[in-house]
Structures are given as structure tokens and as C-alpha cells.
Amino acid sequence: MKLITKKSIHFLLGIMFLNLIPLTATQAAHKDELLKKEISLHANHKPLGTVLANMDEEYQIGFIYNNQLPGLKKYVSLRVSNLPLSSVLDRLLIPNNLNYKVVSGQIAIVPFKQETETNVINGSLKGTVTGLPDYMPLPYATVNFKGSDKYTLTNDQGQFFFPSVPTGSHTLQISYLGYESLEKQIEIISGETTELKVEMVSNMSELEGVTITGIRRGEVKALNSMKNAENIKYVMSQEQIERFPDLTVSESLQRVPGVAVGYSYGIPRDIIIRGLSQSLSSMTLNGTRLPSTGAGGRDTDLNGILANSIESIEVIKTLTPDRDADGTGGAVNIITKSPAKDEKLFDAKLAGGYNGLVNKATYDAGLTFGERKKKTSYIIGTSYSRNWRGEDRVEKDYDTYSVNGTESTYLSNLDLDGYEIKRDNLALNGEFKYYPNDRSELYLRGSYNLYYEIQNRLERIFNIGEYTSSDQVDNLRITQSGNWRDYHKNLLQASMGGKSYIGDMKLDYDLTLSQGKYDQPIYYSAAFVRDGLSAGLNLQNPITPQFEFSEADPYSPDLFTTNRYINRHDRSVDRDGQLTLNINKPYQLGRHKGNLKFGGRGKLKYNDRSRNYFLHDLNEGSFVLSDYLSDYKKDDHYEGAYNMGQFPEAEAMEAYYNQHPELFSDNETYTRQNTDPDSFEGSEYLAAAYVMTALNIDNLQIITGIRYEKTGFDYEGNRVNFDDQGNYVSTNPISTDRTFDGWFPSINLRYALGKGTNIRGAVTRSLSRPSYYDLVPWEEVETRRNRVKMGNPDLTQSTSINYDILFEHYFKSVGILSGGVFMKNINDYIYESSYIQEGGTYDGYTVNQTVNGANAIARGFELAWQQQLTFLPGIWNGLGIYANYTYVNSEFEIPGTQSTRTVKLPEMRPHVGNVSLSYEKFGFSGRLSMYFYGTFNSELAENPENDLQEKGRKQLDFSASQQLTDRLSLFIGVNNLTNEPISDIYRDGRRQNDAVYGRWGQLGLRFKTY
């Protein structure tokens, strides 16, 4: 043992009592003075022990150490001038796995691991990272200790926290995409929390008119979140969402790489991630699964959430064990707003617009305000939208007819549908947080999203009885139909929870109560008929066939009658309570840092659906259409191809029924057939637990672990029976009680090839649960048709092994270039089947039922390029590109009555992507965007020729904004510039459905304090 000191007795006593004797005030002051002592050092490739000896001799510091410590023999090079001793020691010792302790006014050199063997109280460090010039928080910035792999990321308010940091001086390194990296010297005091404010400068500030403010900051925030994520995901911030003319979350998601949307009346509704339908993905709000807003399914209609009311959207493509396992396609996580520290937030929006198809005005308004103080923060937001949409549809069906002794396939039905849709969205969001101390926070948050839609539907149907020649028809029936219906699809969620640090261990906990509601309280429908007509059939335009009548007015309302009308009510409520606990504990494996995380979630769910259909038959006489005409008429249907005139006012027939119920009788068979099989109630529970670790080994990050989930359900439905003539016989309740469970391991890898370049890989196991209605043991038995429709309580969850590899490079000028491949091998795929029953009660019956099938495979690749072209000269450096493309292929075997065939999964778009060209400079931001997808299977039939396919489509949109002041901007958005139709065709080329939606847009003002 060599002691480099003249006071060896003091050193030995200091080491012996280091863990027993606290520092006195005098000793602490001396320690502080010693570590702040300024040192100059010029060492060029010398052993560390020699360098320490030279420092001791020159500055009379006094060191004690074991001369056999391996790190002392390593060669070091360091040139510094007038730096604190603590900073010099950090640079010399930490890279060589050594540390130091101040003992009795001297410095002991110890192995780095000995830090945990002492009872010296560490300090903690918290801070906020903001960007100049407007001091906005920078979320997901990387904050690390120089010379160490100890690091963290700022949260979505730009804040970071290190619960346990060794006392003394340290150098922090802070980096953020789009900003200049910087270093900060800090001093950690034993038992105290050091606060730090970091201000970063944009690396675009030298470009005239181009800065990271407003719209661009949202892109920077999203890219930093993606770059530092533990898994593969894509993030859209609110500012990015504003770059497109989209009102709801569903509409915004069509811009995300790998995501397609399914349309309902021209409105994006279903979310298809990597070719898999929404039933194979999950929708969450702040990480908690959203309840259903559908009739019997698990899907959540994200049209019910206004994009203006949220902070950001994450599309998670590879799962980690701390997330619910039901995300084979992926998971959409919607994040609500929260103010940053010392921030007063105010955001107001007011816009008006117009829909050209229905000639109606639209309105959009929003207001959000909040503030974060030292101990509390709050935010309150509300948004409202009155939006009109429309659809003009021409639908064709076909059948086999004999013409001149030859049987051929001809048009059998022509259905003209005109929709006028009024959609009201209201969003209310609030959050309150309390910060008892530096190491904990508590929150209360709630959100309510109302989605109310009223539809006026006008329908004219031509039913062809027979063909006298290829262009002449006879026994033609025309139906003039009209209905008025509404939908409520509402979401309510309330949460309470928080997070706390106990030492270096972090706990977060959450209790969330949710309710999703689907309600259709109003549905009136009436169909007036005229029979026995003859007409010529003009098929010159296959999209819009025309019937040519010899009589002057074949559509006269005096000639159309009916003796019945329909009234129905459909309601489904999905309620659940979820309790979540996560515990995070850092650890060290040799010189490598890691985090151990474990926890679980429990959920109780109740779901019920009540469906009531009534067919009211007039006992004597008939209703005449001319007595029940509405004000709604359609004289320019499908771009002027048809004049549909006026249509029934079904609500007036409901009023007549209420005044004279004795004149009607109810059709019990219709009521029971459309009510009882669809009505059910039941409950589910979920118990889940997981353990995972995130370990950093140099440039490699490993996130791996396992999750266990068990689901139990108890449902009660109805068996409905009909006789040989199709008349209702009886309804009997039936119930089921089952469970299924599974283990779901995963591994996500991220290897940093450079500061802005990652290679990611993942292998995960996930699940997809059957819908509520499919699990219900309902039956509808039609003896006359030898047909039975039924639920399937024997369904099991489908599981999938998922493989992902992704390359990503982040540009300093703000952007990303990425490409990757993926494959999903799905076991027990759930699909709708039709088969002939062999044996048992229903031997020989055709059974329509949802079943578990053979394996399905989906594979493909994704490409994305997103970049601000700031390297271009002059005015051109305001250009930007946003482009992505996804290719998906799939295989699935389905049994048929004749043979088994291999098909592509329904709803899987083989090609989907976006191309957008933007320009941003001097406060202007403009973007021309195209969303496209390729032809795909929408419905599968027994005969492949009758498979229904939706043709590929391209939609062109424009959006722009201009800053009028620092806080006030003017914006405009126009959708569907080319009025692109949606068309369905049969596999053999016959047209089945063509629909147009017109153009719509809005103009408005926005005021922001951030």
C-alpha cells in the first residue's frame, strides 16, 4: 500500500469511519472549498496514477488509494485550464471506472462501485429544457452525465429528474434534434435537490425566415420522441396535426406511415394498421384502453375525438410488456394536454367552412387555457364542431336471367342513395395536478367526447323482375324510401393517480373509470312502392345506368303506396374500471446502467346491448307518398346523373301512429328476429402482470420482459326460434362463462450507429380478443330456410408472433429517413364463416358464425422520408417533404362448401401512403397532400368471382396558415380537391358501388400563447 500523503493516520481513520461519522458544518465547508479549487492540467498519454501524483505535488491536494486499482495504470490524456477540481476528477476517473470521496479534508480514490457501499447521502437533480427564442419546453430531450451512461429523457413538459446523483461537480450533456447540443456544469449537494434551467438554441436560426417555432416545433418534438423511444412508433403532435386539414383523430391518422383508414359515408372511421383491421389493434387514451362506442364490438370510433382537443397521437407498432397485449396490428395512444412549468397556456380557434355536396355551412371552435405553478397546475379545454357531410351513392346488384333462351348475368337492382349528414362534436377536457414535493405529483383528469350524428337518407331502388331483351326490362318495381336516424357515440373517462420517487425507485399509479356509449334513439323508415312497370335500360355508362320510361312521370308521388313503416332503437353501453401500478428501479450491471420495471393492471368491464325493432302494419288501406313528402329532395344526385325528387317524411308516419295506434298491428316475427338475437349483457375481467428491463450496453439498448394476461367473461344472450313458415316461435335465454389467458414475451432492440442513426429490431407476442357480440351465445334458427345464425362462446383469443426490423436516420435539419420490414404470424385468426353443419341438431343447416380459423400471415415493408430541406439556397430552404409508403401482403386459408382457398385478409390495403410537399418561411406554412391506397378485398364470397373489392383511391388536400402576429395566425384547409369517388367492384370487374362526397373546407383564425 502506498499512501500519497503526510497525514496517513487521518486518512486511515477517515476510511474506517466514513460510513459512521457525518460531516460537520466545518467539514462540509472545507469539502466544498476543496472541490471548487481551480486546476490546470496538461497530461499527454500518461498513467492515471502518475497524473494524480503530479497533481498532488503541484496543488497539495492529498490523495489516498490502493496502488493496485486497475484504472490507475490506464493511460490518459487531458488538457484543461482553470477548471474546478471536481470537474477534472470526473473527466479522469469516471471513464476509468473510478470515483472519489472527500474524507477528513482529503480525497480517497475508490472503485466506482463502492459508491453504493457508503452511507453518504446523494443529492438529486431536476430541471427543465427549453428552446429559444420563446422558451418553449422541449420534450424528449436527452440529458446525460458526461463520461457515464447515466441518462434520462425530458417528459412532455420538457422536465427531467435524477432521483439519486453522487455529490460533487458534474458535467451534463443535453441534446435535442434541431437544436445545438450543449454542456452544463452542475454541483450536487448531499441530501438536496439541485434545480437547473437549460436553454437551447435552434440550429436553424442562421437561416433567414426559417426557425423552429410554431408548426415546425411540433415536428421536432415528435421526431425526438420517436428517436429516443424504447420501441418502434410514430408520433404526431398537435402542431403536426394542424398542418393537415383534418378535424378528428380518425382523419389525422390517415397521414401516419403504415396506417390506412376505412370510410363510412366518406368519413374516415376504421383504423387499419399494417393491413390489419381495427379489431386487431387497440385504442387508448393516456395509455388506458378506451371503451367501445360500437354496437356489440370492441372498436372505438375516433371520429368522436376532435384533433384540436389533444396534445399528440402515438401509433405504437411494437409492444413492450408494460402495455396491454391486445395490439397485434398496433396501438393508437391519444395524449391529452398538460402545461409546462412556469407556463401560462392559452389557445383559441374559430373557423367557418362549407360542404359543396350538401351546400351547408360548417363551424369549428376551440378554447384551451391552463397554468403551471410551483405546487399546482391546471388545464381546461373545450372544442366544438358542427360539420356537414354528404354521400351520393349508386349501388348495383346482379342475378341470372334467361334472355332469348340463354342464361346470363344481368343487373338486378339499382339502388340510389343520397345522404345528408350533420355531425356535432363536443370535447371537454380538464386536468389538475398537485406537486407535494420535488419527488412526487398527483393528478385528476377527465375527458368527455360527444359525437352526435343525424342522417337524412333518401333512397330510390329499382328491382328488375325480368328481361325481355338485353336492354328492355319488365315487372319493374320502384321503391321510394326515406329514413331519419341519429347516432350518439360518446366517450367519458375520469382518472386519478400520480407518481412518486422513493429513493431511486419510481412508482406510478392510476385508477380510471370509463364509459363508451352507442345510442340510436331515433330511426324512422318508410318505403313506398310502385310495381309492374316496363322500361328501357341504358348501360352506356356502367357507373350510372339509366331507366327510360315511355310515360311522362313514372315517379309521381300519387302512385307510390305502402301499408307499413319501421321504428327502431339500438343502444349499447360499455363501462369499465381499471387500476394500474408500475414500479421502476434503476440498477447497474458492471459499468452498464439499466432499469427494472414491473407492475400490473386489473380491469372490470360491463357491457350490454338492447335492440328494439318495430314494424307497424296498417290494418286497412294504404299510405300514399304524396301525403308524406319531406322538404328534403335530391335533383342533382351523383353529379346530376339522377333527379330523385322528394322523399318520405317518416317522422310524420310515427306521429300518425302515436295518434291512431288502434289502426296498426305489430309484426311480431320481424320484431323478435331483429331484437332478441342482438340484445345481450355480460361482464369481463382482466388481470395482468409484467416484468421487464431496459439495459444499455454501450450503443445497444435492450428492452425485454414478459407479460401475463388472463381474461374471463360471463355473457347472457337469446336463442330465437322460427317455424317452417318463418314465423316466430320462442325466445330462450342462454349464458356462458369462460376464461382464456397467455404469456406474452417481447424483446425490443435499438442499436445506435451514430448520434442520429438507429437500427431497431423487435420480436413480440400479442393477442386479439373476439368482440363482445361474437362471444355471446345467441342463436337465430330459421327452420324454413335451413339456416342458423349464432354467436360463438367457444371462440378463443387469437395470438400473433410479430417480427420487426427498422433503420432510421434523423436529419440535423429536422427530419427522418426510415425503412423497415415486418411480419405477423397470427394463430386462431377470427373471421366470419359460412358452412354446412354435419350432424347434431342443425345437421344440413347453413351456419353463419364467427370462428377461429387457420393461421394468417401478414408481411410487408415501410418507407418514410420526412425532411425540411434547409440545406437548399435562398427561398428554396423553406421547402419540406413528407412521404411514406407501406406495402403489405397476406395469406389466409378459408374453408368453403366446395373447397378451401387461400385469400388476402379483408380490409388489407396492399399499398398505402402519403406524399406531401410543404413550404414554410416568414411565418407562412403551406402544404399540398395526397393520401392513397391500392385495391383491396372488402368482402369475401363463396364464389371468388363475387368477392367484393374496393378500388384504389387518391385524395388530394390543401392546407396553409400565415402568422399575422407572434400569436395570431390565419389558416385555411380544403379536402378532396378532385372529388375522388369511392368505388367497389366484383373480382370479375362488375361495378357494385360508386359514391362521391364533394369538396369541403374551412377558413379560420387561431391565437396561441405558445
Side-chain angles (χ1 to χ4, degrees), residues 177-195:
L177 189 68
Y179 288 78
E180 299 291 346
S181 299
L182 55 83
E183 294 184 356
K184 285 282 188 180
Q185 298 298 127
I186 59 169
E187 187 73 23
I188 301 298
I189 301 173
S190 176
E192 296 185 13
T193 299
T194 300
E195 292 196 39

PDB file of all heavy atoms in Angstrom, residues 177-195:
ATOM      1  N   LEU A 177     -32.855  17.110 -31.222  1.00  0.00           N
ATOM      2  CA  LEU A 177     -32.878  17.222 -32.665  1.00  0.00           C
ATOM      3  C   LEU A 177     -33.365  18.612 -33.080  1.00  0.00           C
ATOM      4  O   LEU A 177     -34.388  19.096 -32.595  1.00  0.00           O
ATOM      5  CB  LEU A 177     -33.804  16.153 -33.247  1.00  0.00           C
ATOM      6  CG  LEU A 177     -33.805  15.983 -34.759  1.00  0.00           C
ATOM      7  CD1 LEU A 177     -32.478  15.430 -35.223  1.00  0.00           C
ATOM      8  CD2 LEU A 177     -34.948  15.061 -35.173  1.00  0.00           C
ATOM      9  N   GLY A 178     -32.604  19.267 -33.960  1.00  0.00           N
ATOM     10  CA  GLY A 178     -32.969  20.602 -34.424  1.00  0.00           C
ATOM     11  C   GLY A 178     -32.371  21.719 -33.605  1.00  0.00           C
ATOM     12  O   GLY A 178     -32.562  22.892 -33.924  1.00  0.00           O
ATOM     13  N   TYR A 179     -31.631  21.384 -32.528  1.00  0.00           N
ATOM     14  CA  TYR A 179     -31.007  22.389 -31.655  1.00  0.00           C
ATOM     15  C   TYR A 179     -29.541  22.038 -31.443  1.00  0.00           C
ATOM     16  O   TYR A 179     -29.134  20.874 -31.540  1.00  0.00           O
ATOM     17  CB  TYR A 179     -31.730  22.452 -30.301  1.00  0.00           C
ATOM     18  CG  TYR A 179     -33.096  23.098 -30.375  1.00  0.00           C
ATOM     19  CD1 TYR A 179     -34.197  22.390 -30.861  1.00  0.00           C
ATOM     20  CD2 TYR A 179     -33.286  24.411 -29.968  1.00  0.00           C
ATOM     21  CE1 TYR A 179     -35.446  22.967 -30.928  1.00  0.00           C
ATOM     22  CE2 TYR A 179     -34.539  24.999 -30.042  1.00  0.00           C
ATOM     23  CZ  TYR A 179     -35.616  24.276 -30.523  1.00  0.00           C
ATOM     24  OH  TYR A 179     -36.846  24.870 -30.593  1.00  0.00           O
ATOM     25  N   GLU A 180     -28.749  23.059 -31.132  1.00  0.00           N
ATOM     26  CA  GLU A 180     -27.330  22.859 -30.872  1.00  0.00           C
ATOM     27  C   GLU A 180     -27.155  22.166 -29.516  1.00  0.00           C
ATOM     28  O   GLU A 180     -27.703  22.611 -28.509  1.00  0.00           O
ATOM     29  CB  GLU A 180     -26.588  24.200 -30.864  1.00  0.00           C
ATOM     30  CG  GLU A 180     -26.661  24.970 -32.187  1.00  0.00           C
ATOM     31  CD  GLU A 180     -25.883  24.295 -33.295  1.00  0.00           C
ATOM     32  OE1 GLU A 180     -25.081  23.387 -32.985  1.00  0.00           O
ATOM     33  OE2 GLU A 180     -26.079  24.668 -34.468  1.00  0.00           O
ATOM     34  N   SER A 181     -26.379  21.094 -29.506  1.00  0.00           N
ATOM     35  CA  SER A 181     -26.079  20.402 -28.252  1.00  0.00           C
ATOM     36  C   SER A 181     -25.243  21.290 -27.355  1.00  0.00           C
ATOM     37  O   SER A 181     -24.477  22.153 -27.823  1.00  0.00           O
ATOM     38  CB  SER A 181     -25.336  19.095 -28.533  1.00  0.00           C
ATOM     39  OG  SER A 181     -26.117  18.227 -29.314  1.00  0.00           O
ATOM     40  N   LEU A 182     -25.371  21.108 -26.037  1.00  0.00           N
ATOM     41  CA  LEU A 182     -24.608  21.936 -25.111  1.00  0.00           C
ATOM     42  C   LEU A 182     -24.249  21.146 -23.862  1.00  0.00           C
ATOM     43  O   LEU A 182     -24.780  20.067 -23.612  1.00  0.00           O
ATOM     44  CB  LEU A 182     -25.376  23.207 -24.742  1.00  0.00           C
ATOM     45  CG  LEU A 182     -26.801  23.076 -24.175  1.00  0.00           C
ATOM     46  CD1 LEU A 182     -26.776  22.809 -22.687  1.00  0.00           C
ATOM     47  CD2 LEU A 182     -27.582  24.351 -24.461  1.00  0.00           C
ATOM     48  N   GLU A 183     -23.323  21.711 -23.069  1.00  0.00           N
ATOM     49  CA  GLU A 183     -22.899  21.123 -21.805  1.00  0.00           C
ATOM     50  C   GLU A 183     -23.129  22.119 -20.683  1.00  0.00           C
ATOM     51  O   GLU A 183     -23.012  23.335 -20.879  1.00  0.00           O
ATOM     52  CB  GLU A 183     -21.425  20.727 -21.857  1.00  0.00           C
ATOM     53  CG  GLU A 183     -21.116  19.615 -22.841  1.00  0.00           C
ATOM     54  CD  GLU A 183     -19.658  19.180 -22.784  1.00  0.00           C
ATOM     55  OE1 GLU A 183     -18.884  19.807 -22.026  1.00  0.00           O
ATOM     56  OE2 GLU A 183     -19.301  18.207 -23.485  1.00  0.00           O
ATOM     57  N   LYS A 184     -23.468  21.595 -19.501  1.00  0.00           N
ATOM     58  CA  LYS A 184     -23.705  22.421 -18.324  1.00  0.00           C
ATOM     59  C   LYS A 184     -22.964  21.831 -17.136  1.00  0.00           C
ATOM     60  O   LYS A 184     -23.008  20.622 -16.894  1.00  0.00           O
ATOM     61  CB  LYS A 184     -25.212  22.472 -17.998  1.00  0.00           C
ATOM     62  CG  LYS A 184     -26.017  23.353 -18.927  1.00  0.00           C
ATOM     63  CD  LYS A 184     -25.856  24.821 -18.595  1.00  0.00           C
ATOM     64  CE  LYS A 184     -26.801  25.687 -19.402  1.00  0.00           C
ATOM     65  NZ  LYS A 184     -26.653  27.104 -19.075  1.00  0.00           N
ATOM     66  N   GLN A 185     -22.245  22.712 -16.388  1.00  0.00           N
ATOM     67  CA  GLN A 185     -21.597  22.295 -15.154  1.00  0.00           C
ATOM     68  C   GLN A 185     -22.592  22.427 -13.998  1.00  0.00           C
ATOM     69  O   GLN A 185     -23.277  23.456 -13.876  1.00  0.00           O
ATOM     70  CB  GLN A 185     -20.378  23.169 -14.856  1.00  0.00           C
ATOM     71  CG  GLN A 185     -19.282  23.088 -15.924  1.00  0.00           C
ATOM     72  CD  GLN A 185     -18.707  21.709 -16.053  1.00  0.00           C
ATOM     73  OE1 GLN A 185     -18.663  21.154 -17.141  1.00  0.00           O
ATOM     74  NE2 GLN A 185     -18.284  21.139 -14.948  1.00  0.00           N
ATOM     75  N   ILE A 186     -22.702  21.378 -13.180  1.00  0.00           N
ATOM     76  CA  ILE A 186     -23.626  21.410 -12.056  1.00  0.00           C
ATOM     77  C   ILE A 186     -22.909  20.958 -10.793  1.00  0.00           C
ATOM     78  O   ILE A 186     -21.891  20.255 -10.853  1.00  0.00           O
ATOM     79  CB  ILE A 186     -24.851  20.502 -12.297  1.00  0.00           C
ATOM     80  CG1 ILE A 186     -24.407  19.049 -12.534  1.00  0.00           C
ATOM     81  CG2 ILE A 186     -25.692  21.019 -13.439  1.00  0.00           C
ATOM     82  CD1 ILE A 186     -25.534  18.059 -12.516  1.00  0.00           C
ATOM     83  N   GLU A 187     -23.438  21.357  -9.669  1.00  0.00           N
ATOM     84  CA  GLU A 187     -22.900  20.979  -8.372  1.00  0.00           C
ATOM     85  C   GLU A 187     -24.024  20.312  -7.579  1.00  0.00           C
ATOM     86  O   GLU A 187     -25.080  20.916  -7.347  1.00  0.00           O
ATOM     87  CB  GLU A 187     -22.384  22.200  -7.620  1.00  0.00           C
ATOM     88  CG  GLU A 187     -21.660  21.871  -6.335  1.00  0.00           C
ATOM     89  CD  GLU A 187     -20.281  21.270  -6.582  1.00  0.00           C
ATOM     90  OE1 GLU A 187     -19.713  21.494  -7.662  1.00  0.00           O
ATOM     91  OE2 GLU A 187     -19.779  20.563  -5.686  1.00  0.00           O
ATOM     92  N   ILE A 188     -23.823  19.063  -7.176  1.00  0.00           N
ATOM     93  CA  ILE A 188     -24.817  18.309  -6.419  1.00  0.00           C
ATOM     94  C   ILE A 188     -24.435  18.330  -4.939  1.00  0.00           C
ATOM     95  O   ILE A 188     -23.295  17.987  -4.580  1.00  0.00           O
ATOM     96  CB  ILE A 188     -24.919  16.855  -6.912  1.00  0.00           C
ATOM     97  CG1 ILE A 188     -25.306  16.835  -8.397  1.00  0.00           C
ATOM     98  CG2 ILE A 188     -25.929  16.078  -6.088  1.00  0.00           C
ATOM     99  CD1 ILE A 188     -26.645  17.441  -8.714  1.00  0.00           C
ATOM    100  N   ILE A 189     -25.349  18.748  -4.095  1.00  0.00           N
ATOM    101  CA  ILE A 189     -25.128  18.850  -2.651  1.00  0.00           C
ATOM    102  C   ILE A 189     -25.852  17.710  -1.951  1.00  0.00           C
ATOM    103  O   ILE A 189     -26.998  17.379  -2.286  1.00  0.00           O
ATOM    104  CB  ILE A 189     -25.617  20.215  -2.125  1.00  0.00           C
ATOM    105  CG1 ILE A 189     -24.863  21.351  -2.840  1.00  0.00           C
ATOM    106  CG2 ILE A 189     -25.438  20.321  -0.609  1.00  0.00           C
ATOM    107  CD1 ILE A 189     -25.390  22.727  -2.514  1.00  0.00           C
ATOM    108  N   SER A 190     -25.193  17.120  -0.983  1.00  0.00           N
ATOM    109  CA  SER A 190     -25.730  15.957  -0.285  1.00  0.00           C
ATOM    110  C   SER A 190     -27.099  16.257   0.325  1.00  0.00           C
ATOM    111  O   SER A 190     -27.279  17.235   1.055  1.00  0.00           O
ATOM    112  CB  SER A 190     -24.750  15.528   0.818  1.00  0.00           C
ATOM    113  OG  SER A 190     -25.276  14.459   1.564  1.00  0.00           O
ATOM    114  N   GLY A 191     -28.073  15.392  -0.015  1.00  0.00           N
ATOM    115  CA  GLY A 191     -29.405  15.498   0.568  1.00  0.00           C
ATOM    116  C   GLY A 191     -30.264  16.611   0.017  1.00  0.00           C
ATOM    117  O   GLY A 191     -31.374  16.823   0.505  1.00  0.00           O
ATOM    118  N   GLU A 192     -29.803  17.322  -0.995  1.00  0.00           N
ATOM    119  CA  GLU A 192     -30.568  18.439  -1.545  1.00  0.00           C
ATOM    120  C   GLU A 192     -30.883  18.196  -3.018  1.00  0.00           C
ATOM    121  O   GLU A 192     -30.227  17.405  -3.697  1.00  0.00           O
ATOM    122  CB  GLU A 192     -29.788  19.750  -1.394  1.00  0.00           C
ATOM    123  CG  GLU A 192     -29.547  20.159   0.048  1.00  0.00           C
ATOM    124  CD  GLU A 192     -28.885  21.522   0.149  1.00  0.00           C
ATOM    125  OE1 GLU A 192     -28.847  22.241  -0.884  1.00  0.00           O
ATOM    126  OE2 GLU A 192     -28.425  21.857   1.238  1.00  0.00           O
ATOM    127  N   THR A 193     -31.925  18.915  -3.499  1.00  0.00           N
ATOM    128  CA  THR A 193     -32.302  18.840  -4.910  1.00  0.00           C
ATOM    129  C   THR A 193     -31.790  20.068  -5.634  1.00  0.00           C
ATOM    130  O   THR A 193     -32.143  21.206  -5.283  1.00  0.00           O
ATOM    131  CB  THR A 193     -33.826  18.748  -5.073  1.00  0.00           C
ATOM    132  OG1 THR A 193     -34.295  17.559  -4.435  1.00  0.00           O
ATOM    133  CG2 THR A 193     -34.215  18.701  -6.546  1.00  0.00           C
ATOM    134  N   THR A 194     -30.953  19.850  -6.602  1.00  0.00           N
ATOM    135  CA  THR A 194     -30.428  20.943  -7.419  1.00  0.00           C
ATOM    136  C   THR A 194     -31.365  21.176  -8.596  1.00  0.00           C
ATOM    137  O   THR A 194     -31.792  20.225  -9.250  1.00  0.00           O
ATOM    138  CB  THR A 194     -29.024  20.598  -7.938  1.00  0.00           C
ATOM    139  OG1 THR A 194     -28.157  20.390  -6.823  1.00  0.00           O
ATOM    140  CG2 THR A 194     -28.472  21.723  -8.804  1.00  0.00           C
ATOM    141  N   GLU A 195     -31.707  22.435  -8.848  1.00  0.00           N
ATOM    142  CA  GLU A 195     -32.578  22.781  -9.965  1.00  0.00           C
ATOM    143  C   GLU A 195     -31.757  23.420 -11.069  1.00  0.00           C
ATOM    144  O   GLU A 195     -30.839  24.190 -10.821  1.00  0.00           O
ATOM    145  CB  GLU A 195     -33.695  23.724  -9.520  1.00  0.00           C
ATOM    146  CG  GLU A 195     -34.694  23.078  -8.580  1.00  0.00           C
ATOM    147  CD  GLU A 195     -35.980  23.879  -8.468  1.00  0.00           C
ATOM    148  OE1 GLU A 195     -36.428  24.416  -9.495  1.00  0.00           O
ATOM    149  OE2 GLU A 195     -36.522  23.964  -7.357  1.00  0.00           O
TER     150      GLU A 195
END
